[in-house]
Amino acid sequence: MRNTLLILLFLFSINERGQAQKIQQSKSEPFYDMHIGMFTHYMFPQDNYQWGATQWADGSVVQSLDELADNFDAEDFANTAASMGAQYVIFTTWHANMNALYPSEVIPKWIPGHTSKRDVIRDLIREVKKKEIKVILYIHPCDGHDFSKEDQERTGWNDGEPYTKWSNFIISVMNEIIDRYGKDLYGFYLDGGIQRVDGPLLRKTILDKMPKAVLIQNQGLKPEIVDYGAHERMEAPYPATNWLRCQTITEEWWAKEATVTLSPELAYRYTILQAAVKDRTGGGVSWSFGPHPGGRWELGVPSFCARLGKLVNKTGSSLFGTRPSKAYVTLEGTALTGLPYVATESLDGQTTYLHVFSPPKGSSILLPVPADGRQFKSAKFTNGEGILLIQDESGVKLMVESPEVWDDIDTIIELN
């Protein structure tokens, strides 16, 4: 009897693990095929925040949280996200000093004066969903360092371990957010080191009501709280990461008096690079910029989005619904600058998509022997035009009719 019971318990344990694995896979697979997002801070810190905040297009300072909220153009925001081909947006629920962009009933009970009258979050969700773009809300669960002394006292920010009061405050706020918007959300992006809050309880609070929620941590990955990590900002030579990359294209995460400093062509190539990185987890890259109040953008943002969207739209099956190539492997940390090519492959592994970034001098390109030993039988451009392929012990040679066929940005070749 005892042995039978042990066997039953063992089988139950296996089934539990199997079920958990299936749930995790079904939850993570959609995010795995997310390659391009839009990250936006639209914020009013109220007090003199040292890093600045959203400004009007003429550089004037926003005077109140309600002024900021009332002048958010949700329709224009959604149109801009769609123009760049964004699959998801990450948008501020609150940032510095926890000034929330919705009429919370919970927050005023703890810290009065920190919520807007207009429900910007609901308006954002409504317009973005029309474009079939998913919404990830940015939250900062350890933002008390920006609070006034009075608000820190009210919320228990300085109480010391285990910071029960602060944790209760954050959990109560999250419960309200999930109840209000949960069914329309894809997940949450958690900033900071997630200190002073009961992380496992925060995770449970979210997943109990949103079992498939994507949980991302900025600059870290605490597996007891989140499933995915994210890195902020990069500089030349633009190294790849198998985490989500969040990258500003202007001076800041929010709108100031600045201009776009990153070309859409470079952004496109980096988007492809992220899709090709071995062991990538999902999200690709989220290009960051914010609107001015009134539906205005920093100089160059609309044209950046339109151009990037046009380039992404041409990739077709070579980007979406792919995995990193096993024939030509791209490792984390690979620099985009000077990179001759990267490769992705279809999920069944039958087709390798070669993205040639640096056009060769002549009419041919020589690739090394495939890392997984596969033998290619044919090559063609995405328009169906054939390419001469020769493969031997030295590698794979692709020959085209004329050097003029090489694209300056990305020549996509299908290898089968």
Side-chain angles (χ1 to χ4, degrees), residues 328 366-370 373-376 389-398:
Y328 299 110
L366 182 63
L367 304 172
V369 175
R374 74 178 63 194
Q375 294 289 313
F376 296 116
L389 181 150
I390 302 173
Q391 182 170 354
D392 55 29
E393 65 278 1
S394 66
V396 177
K397 188 174 185 179
L398 302 174

Side-chain angles (χ1 to χ4, degrees), residues 124-366:
L124 167 87
I125 291 172
R126 183 188 63 250
E127 295 300 326
V128 168
K129 283 188 70 175
K130 292 178 183 177
K131 307 295 183 181
E132 299 184 350
I133 299 171
K134 298 185 184 300
V135 177
I136 298 173
L137 289 184
Y138 168 102
I139 61 172
H140 201 320
C142 47
D143 189 37
H145 59 277
D146 291 323
F147 285 14
S148 67
K149 183 178 179 181
E150 293 74 18
D151 284 346
Q152 287 181 340
E153 290 298 319
R154 292 184 180 109
T155 55
W157 176 255
N158 296 317
D159 284 358
E161 296 289 350
Y163 296 101
T164 302
K165 190 175 181 180
W166 175 265
S167 188
N168 289 341
F169 166 55
I170 295 298
I171 297 299
S172 64
V173 172
M174 288 306 300
N175 265 312
E176 181 187 43
I177 289 173
I178 297 166
D179 288 342
R180 289 179 68 104
Y181 312 112
K183 64 182 179 64
D184 296 314
L185 298 179
Y186 191 58
F188 293 95
Y189 181 97
L190 286 67
D191 204 351
I194 320 181
Q195 307 99 351
R196 306 194 190 195
V197 64
D198 186 333
L201 178 58
L202 177 60
R203 177 182 178 86
K204 185 177 186 300
T205 299
I206 297 170
L207 296 185
D208 277 353
K209 297 178 180 180
M210 297 172 58
K212 293 187 177 182
V214 170
L215 302 180
I216 310 163
Q217 180 183 350
N218 181 30
Q219 299 294 82
L221 201 169
K222 293 184 175 180
E224 71 276 16
I225 308 174
V226 299
D227 302 300
Y228 306 98
H231 287 302
E232 285 186 352
R233 284 182 171 169
M234 61 178 171
E235 297 178 351
Y238 311 109
T241 170
N242 51 28
W243 286 5
L244 165 65
R245 170 75 74 185
C246 299
Q247 176 65 26
T248 54
I249 68 168
T250 63
E251 182 181 332
E252 254 314 342
W253 304 94
W254 46 81
K256 301 170 68 174
E257 289 183 286
T259 61
V260 170
T261 57
L262 206 63
S263 75
E265 290 79 14
L266 187 148
Y268 166 79
R269 283 189 179 180
Y270 191 80
T271 301
I272 301 298
L273 171 59
Q274 283 289 90
V277 175
K278 181 182 178 183
D279 299 325
R280 64 175 174 81
T281 54
V285 56
S286 195
W287 300 107
S288 178
F289 47 93
H292 294 291
R296 304 293 181 180
W297 298 90
E298 291 170 294
L299 187 62
V301 167
S303 57
F304 172 95
C305 293
R307 175 63 171 157
L308 177 57
K310 185 176 181 179
L311 291 170
V312 168
N313 190 52
K314 291 171 61 177
T315 61
S317 57
S318 70
L319 174 60
F320 301 106
T322 65
R323 66 189 185 194
S325 171
K326 295 180 181 178
Y328 299 110
V329 180
T330 302
L331 299 177
E332 182 177 27
T334 298
L336 177 61
T337 302
L339 186 64
Y341 61 83
V342 295
T344 59
E345 66 183 33
S346 57
L347 294 179
D348 61 10
Q350 297 300 306
T351 303
T352 296
Y353 299 99
L354 185 73
H355 292 263
V356 181
F357 292 160
S358 300
K361 294 179 180 178
S363 301
S364 65
I365 181 172
L366 182 63

Side-chain angles (χ1 to χ4, degrees), residues 354 356 360 362-367 378-381 385-392 396-406 411 413-415:
L354 185 73
V356 181
S363 301
S364 65
I365 181 172
L366 182 63
L367 304 172
S378 65
K380 63 180 180 179
F381 293 111
E385 183 181 343
I387 300 171
L388 179 62
L389 181 150
I390 302 173
Q391 182 170 354
D392 55 29
V396 177
K397 188 174 185 179
L398 302 174
M399 302 179 67
V400 299
E401 291 186 359
S402 167
E404 294 179 1
V405 304
W406 302 117
T411 304
I413 298 173
E414 295 182 17
L415 302 171

Side-chain angles (χ1 to χ4, degrees), residues 65 97-117 147 150-151 154-155 169 172-173 176-177 180:
L65 179 58
N97 204 30
M98 200 174 186
N99 286 314
L101 287 166
Y102 68 100
S104 169
E105 295 179 4
V106 172
I107 293 176
K109 295 177 182 178
W110 295 78
I111 46 173
H114 286 257
T115 61
S116 63
K117 295 182 180 69
F147 285 14
E150 293 74 18
D151 284 346
R154 292 184 180 109
T155 55
F169 166 55
S172 64
V173 172
E176 181 187 43
I177 289 173
R180 289 179 68 104

